[in-house]
Amino acid sequence: TLAPAIGLGVLLRNVLVAREPLYGLSEWAHRFDERLLGLPPGRTSLLNDDRVGRCLDALFRADRAALMTAVVVHAVRTFDVDLREVHNDSTTVTFTGQYASATGHTVFGHPTHRITQGHNKDHRPDLKQLLYVLTTAADGTVPVWCSVDHGNTTDDQTHIDTWDTLRRIVGRPDFLYVADAKLCTKENMAHIARAHGRFITVLPKTRREDTWFRDWIQTHEVPWVELLRRENARRQDGPEEVYRGFESPMRSIEGYRIVWIWSSQKCAQDQDTRQRQIQRAITELEHLRARIHAPRSRLKTLGRIQEAAAAVLAQAKAARWITTEIRTLDEPHYTQANAGRPGKDTQYVRHVRQRFELHWEAQADALHYDDRTDGIFPLILNDDTLSLSQALVSYKHQPSLEKRHEQLKSVFEVMPVLLKTVHRIEAFLFLYFLALLTEALIEREIRRQMTAQHIPSLPLYPEGRPCKAPTTDRIFRLLEDVRRHRLIGPGRACQKRFYDDLTPLQCTVLRLLGLSPTAYFQAGDADAS
């Protein structure tokens, strides 16, 4: 009755512009010309949650990997997306509920993923999740691959399969693969290097090379080279962001380059974080001291006081910079030897009881050590041709990928998940990838045209405030109230068309997207050119 491709196309459009639940899809679709939704005439009434759910079943049964590859290759060729550098990162899709049936069982002959607890990146260890792995091109942060895995899958287990897939999409292995520290395992890096691939990632603090350099700079002056200087991205009146680099004299145990970066912004953050943690610890230790001296204190033994002091430092994350000491003092007090009213001949008995004093002291050596290492972080890479500046710029593009995760959760509202069957959830997450891809291509096009036409910003924010990097969501909001009307005569023939007047800003946005107002209003018309 309703072809799965048509139902999924309507659902994808809804994810992009409305985010209505499945049961509200029909009501939402009635606001639009059916042809603009890809629906045949008179088919809007067929949309309901059961029928769209069966469309998701069909998508799950399909070869989604091949479909994603075909879509991405087509988009890359059509929009000429540069794939010489790609970035990978993962996030979690969190679920509220037990999802007891999501155990990895087979549905329609295909295995499903386990919705289970793992390292939750939404800071909800009490909830179950799926792992959502996304890879984007540095060119416009355009998504080029996505995979979903079990909720307890660790990031380091996903890189080899992802890289192999990207090699097939790109058609060659020499693209630059940038990822976070979970890429830095011997197996992952060796797999890419053996296939003549290139990578950049962060060297974890658990590696010996990290410890060696931090110890080395305690007694050596590092000849930093300035790599980048730019305006403060967070505060207009803030200090400039400065980045310096240094090629480590020691390579990794595998023989890869290690490049150390010093960031002025990270240096300030490290100092501020350390100071706040120390201040918090001292405040809590003062409260603990008052509790120890309270008349009805329950902290009466040395062991309990030591445990309480250790818990304060652990909670404040300041145990490295503060040490505590509990001193035992003898406090005498006297009682009458005999009962009765005291007099000049009354004898007294001396008693001694122990009293505990809590003291703490800052560790000057640890503070000095960390002050020398503030603001630095190491990159490990296997490309000997990249300069320090090129390595830094490539890695600094990684936060742009995190913006795609933010769009997935805040703009597209992937959570809370309102579906209960795991195979439909997996199919729906595939549609979210297509939505992210669509958004990225629109943003890339309008920003490229703004640069080409020397337009620094557009007044897309409330009160006409300037927007230097328009998002697709802002563009859709700008155009969401534009209407067109048709006067229908006998035989359902269109007698006349009426259109809302477009504002100058709306006309500018359409022009930047390569559309004329006439083409915009005639979209979907059977007789339109």
Side-chain angles (χ1 to χ4, degrees), residues 369-506:
Y369 183 98
D370 290 348
D371 181 68
R372 294 276 295 179
T373 62
D374 282 339
I376 67 173
F377 61 92
L379 301 178
I380 181 170
L381 60 156
N382 69 330
D383 188 343
D384 290 336
T385 65
L386 283 179
S387 67
L388 300 184
S389 298
Q390 290 171 329
L392 172 64
V393 170
S394 293
Y395 177 74
K396 287 300 292 180
H397 188 76
Q398 192 73 0
S400 298
L401 169 55
E402 296 171 2
K403 283 291 184 181
R404 295 295 176 214
H405 290 321
E406 181 184 348
Q407 287 177 324
L408 177 70
K409 296 183 178 183
S410 61
V411 178
F412 290 156
E413 300 173 355
V414 69
M415 301 180 298
V417 180
L418 301 179
L419 297 172
K420 292 299 180 183
T421 53
V422 62
H423 68 278
R424 289 184 177 180
I425 290 171
E426 291 183 33
F428 209 2
L429 291 177
F430 179 90
L431 288 184
Y432 277 104
F433 169 79
L434 297 183
L436 285 173
L437 174 60
T438 305
E439 273 214 343
L441 291 172
I442 293 174
E443 292 172 0
R444 176 178 179 269
E445 183 64 21
I446 194 168
R447 294 175 186 179
R448 283 161 59 96
Q449 291 300 320
M450 287 174 62
T451 301
Q453 300 181 30
H454 307 288
I455 301 176
S457 64
L458 293 172
L460 295 175
Y461 287 132
E463 301 173 350
R465 288 182 284 115
C467 176
K468 296 181 180 179
T471 63
T472 302
D473 185 58
R474 282 288 165 191
I475 295 171
F476 286 169
R477 290 188 184 187
L478 176 69
L479 299 170
E480 66 182 354
D481 293 329
V482 179
R483 301 165 298 173
R484 70 175 188 178
H485 311 272
R486 291 181 296 156
L487 180 62
I488 305 298
R492 303 285 303 169
C494 179
Q495 302 295 321
K496 189 174 178 61
R497 291 182 174 86
F498 306 90
Y499 308 115
D500 283 356
D501 292 331
L502 295 177
T503 66
L505 178 58
Q506 290 170 336

Side-chain angles (χ1 to χ4, degrees), residues 83 86-88 135-136 144-146 159-173 175 177:
L83 295 183
V86 298
H87 293 253
N88 176 273
T135 305
T136 64
V144 294
W145 188 251
C146 169
H159 286 292
I160 291 178
D161 289 341
T162 298
W163 189 87
D164 288 342
T165 302
L166 292 171
R167 179 172 59 175
R168 291 192 294 270
I169 293 175
V170 177
R172 60 182 188 277
F175 58 89
Y177 185 73

Side-chain angles (χ1 to χ4, degrees), residues 16-30:
L16 280 165
V17 301
R19 275 76 70 180
E20 294 288 343
L22 294 187
Y23 59 80
L25 200 59
S26 178
E27 181 180 352
W28 168 80
H30 272 95

Side-chain angles (χ1 to χ4, degrees), residues 297-348:
S297 174
R298 296 182 179 181
L299 301 172
K300 296 182 179 180
T301 64
L302 179 64
R304 293 197 62 181
I305 295 175
Q306 288 175 335
E307 290 177 1
V312 166
L313 295 180
Q315 189 172 9
K317 300 179 180 179
R320 174 174 173 78
W321 308 297
I322 296 178
T323 58
T324 58
E325 179 186 1
I326 294 91
R327 299 174 185 171
T328 304
L329 303 178
D330 291 336
E331 186 177 69
H333 68 283
Y334 299 86
T335 60
Q336 289 183 207
N338 300 307
R341 191 183 294 271
K344 63 179 182 178
D345 298 326
T346 302
Q347 295 183 346
Y348 293 88

